[in-house]
Amino acid sequence: MSLVVKYLSFVENMSPFKLGQIAEMITKINKDAGEAVAPYFAGGQVVFLLLFVAYFVVSVVALAVDADAMSCPCASESWIWLYALLVISIITFLGFIIFVVQWVLNLINVQIPDSALSLPSPLAMTTFAVLGIILWAGMSEKCDDFYASNHGMLLTVFHIMVIVMSIASVVGLSTFVGQIITDISSYWNQFSSQYLPIGEKKDEDKA
């Protein structure tokens, strides 16, 4: 089941929520715990990937149906159509690039720290989360009513995107910090097993 999590984690790079990274981090910390939670994370990955497909399709449909919002009177104040376009294109494209890089590295059997590729996505999502909150908070009641009456689907997608970006950025940054700590611990264990004097190793083992 852990292999299912591993291979699904490649695909879920295009999704805002990356449960595979969390599952792999748990496995590095404690292999038995990682194997125990793997079935639940695999199920969660499938659910989140299905939700992501639905989210992506609805977003694209909203952009097409409400394309007039790009040049509406309120677009200069709160450009939610452009925001939705940037989120759906940049986040998905960035995830695809990371997916390709991981696939190539796996193909040529090159190992790099997990944290090296996990930072770009949460940084981008944090940027969009902050930007979305600013747009949402700065939208006048008049424009909010205008969008609700004329571009309701786009407005709903915009709200969902801001919420998703906010949650995903916190989860992503937290996962990145956990991966950094795990990588440092792993490198220290390798260093101490190879270079520390035998006496110091024994002292560390006793401690």
Side-chain angles (χ1 to χ4, degrees):
M1 188 60 71
S2 59
L3 288 176
V4 176
V5 173
K6 179 180 178 180
Y7 291 120
L8 281 177
S9 64
F10 288 136
V11 182
E12 75 170 357
N13 275 312
M14 290 174 280
S15 167
F17 295 101
K18 300 168 176 56
L19 295 181
Q21 292 180 354
I22 301 175
E24 290 177 11
M25 183 177 64
I26 294 174
T27 302
K28 283 188 174 183
I29 296 173
N30 188 304
K31 187 175 181 180
D32 292 335
E35 291 291 339
V37 301
Y40 303 103
F41 275 91
Q45 283 179 296
V46 172
V47 171
F48 274 108
L49 285 174
L50 291 175
L51 290 174
F52 168 71
V53 171
Y55 157 85
F56 184 86
V57 171
V58 170
S59 299
V60 171
V61 170
L63 287 169
V65 171
D66 293 318
D68 292 343
M70 178 173 52
S71 56
C72 70
C74 288
S76 59
E77 175 188 313
S78 52
W79 30 280
I80 64 174
W81 188 91
L82 180 59
Y83 174 86
L85 176 65
L86 291 174
V87 169
I88 203 66
S89 57
I90 292 178
I91 297 299
T92 306
F93 181 72
L94 180 60
F96 177 74
I97 293 298
I98 294 174
F99 162 75
V100 171
V101 171
Q102 284 187 328
W103 180 76
V104 171
L105 292 176
N106 190 60
L107 190 66
I108 61 178
N109 198 28
V110 173
Q111 299 292 327
I112 63 172
D114 293 334
S115 55
L117 292 177
S118 64
L119 182 59
S121 289
L123 283 181
M125 289 186 288
T126 300
T127 302
F128 281 119
V130 173
L131 180 58
I133 291 171
I134 292 173
L135 289 175
W136 193 342
M139 186 183 300
S140 66
E141 185 176 347
K142 180 181 178 180
C143 284
D144 186 68
D145 292 339
F146 171 81
Y147 282 123
S149 301
N150 299 279
H151 306 288
M153 187 177 185
L154 177 64
L155 183 63
T156 301
V157 167
F158 167 70
H159 290 162
I160 292 174
M161 282 184 170
V162 175
I163 294 171
V164 168
M165 290 297 104
S166 299
I167 297 174
S169 62
V170 173
V171 174
L173 289 174
S174 300
T175 303
F176 172 73
V177 172
Q179 289 175 328
I180 287 289
I181 295 173
T182 303
D183 289 339
I184 292 174
S185 176
S186 175
Y187 288 137
W188 173 251
N189 289 336
Q190 293 178 9
F191 173 80
S192 61
S193 64
Q194 294 179 12
Y195 299 107
L196 285 183
I198 297 177
E200 291 187 25
K201 291 182 188 177
K202 290 182 178 180
D203 292 338
E204 283 193 351
D205 293 338
K206 288 180 181 178

